[in-house]
Amino acid sequence: MTFWDGVLVLVAGVWAGAINTVVGSGTLVTFPVLLAVGLPPVSANVTNAVGLFPGSFVGAYGYRRELAGQRSRVITLGAASVLGAVVGAVLLLTLPPGAFKAIVPVLIVLALLLVVFGRRLTAWLATRGRETSERATKPLWVATLGTGVYGGYFGAAQGVLLMGFLGVFLRDTLQRQNGLKNVLAGLVNLVAALVFVATTSIDWAAAGLVAGGSVLGGLLGALIGRRLPPAVLRAVIVVVGVLAIVKLLA
């Protein structure tokens, strides 16, 4: 990489760290940049995963007040995220590139529908005796597992998926759900990064730049995201999700 390539990767890391903390989909910023500076697709993907996980945990720390009282949820759903991440990372290393390309936009559309219509769906389920719960239910655990598989494989819009499922299955405020999302996404990124470090080559210069940028971005994202009203946060999630679909289909 040239000096300016490095600057570009660092700036992309800052933006990705911020957007991951507020919504998710930071991979759609850093992955194309890593490709643009010359990394092959698989190398860019694994380098990106290694670089982004520190920012995820910084973002989660920024939401520590919203995470108060969610220890049980973190443990239960965290187990699903870790297991899913291992499966997803192994799939990335064994399946042909592009194997999930057809299903990813469909998943994001589903997540956006859950974000937009989640409260109505929750009310409809309540009329049929299926109340949401303050605890991590089996359907939410399975949904989190599936999101972990996807996140370990690629990760773009993982946060959008998580916010959609948390909104439908978990009874809590949007900001507290976002804090939980940051922890779960961070666990997925960490586990995937460990698998990649142990099994394949990493461009450590690029990963270091992404990591440094994502840490700064995570701090900025927590500062901004925690102050967004629920309606605005939902709007941001929808906009980022639509952009993710456009980017993936381009």
Side-chain angles (χ1 to χ4, degrees), residues 116-156:
V116 175
F117 300 106
R119 287 188 293 180
R120 296 181 187 177
L121 178 59
T122 298
W124 180 81
L125 289 173
T127 64
R128 285 162 175 64
R130 299 180 183 180
E131 296 281 354
T132 55
S133 174
E134 294 182 355
R135 302 176 61 185
T137 59
K138 289 182 180 178
L140 179 56
W141 195 93
V142 172
T144 304
L145 173 67
T147 305
V149 173
Y150 168 65
Y153 185 88
F154 184 51

Side-chain angles (χ1 to χ4, degrees), residues 5 8-9 12 29-38:
D5 286 342
L8 181 61
V9 172
V29 177
T30 45
F31 182 68
V33 169
L34 291 173
L35 292 177
V37 300

Side-chain angles (χ1 to χ4, degrees), residues 170-243:
L170 193 64
R171 186 167 65 246
D172 211 332
T173 66
L174 194 64
Q175 289 291 2
R176 281 173 60 81
Q177 290 170 359
N178 201 28
L180 179 58
K181 176 267 295 181
N182 285 330
V183 174
L184 298 178
L187 285 172
V188 171
N189 291 338
L190 172 60
V191 171
L194 291 174
V195 172
F196 296 147
V197 167
T199 58
T200 189
S201 60
I202 309 293
D203 187 315
W204 287 107
L209 289 169
V210 172
S214 72
V215 167
L216 176 58
L219 291 171
L220 293 174
L223 185 64
I224 296 169
R226 292 181 63 251
R227 288 165 170 74
L228 292 178
V232 176
L233 183 54
R234 284 192 179 89
V236 172
I237 293 171
V238 170
V239 170
V240 172
V242 171
L243 292 175

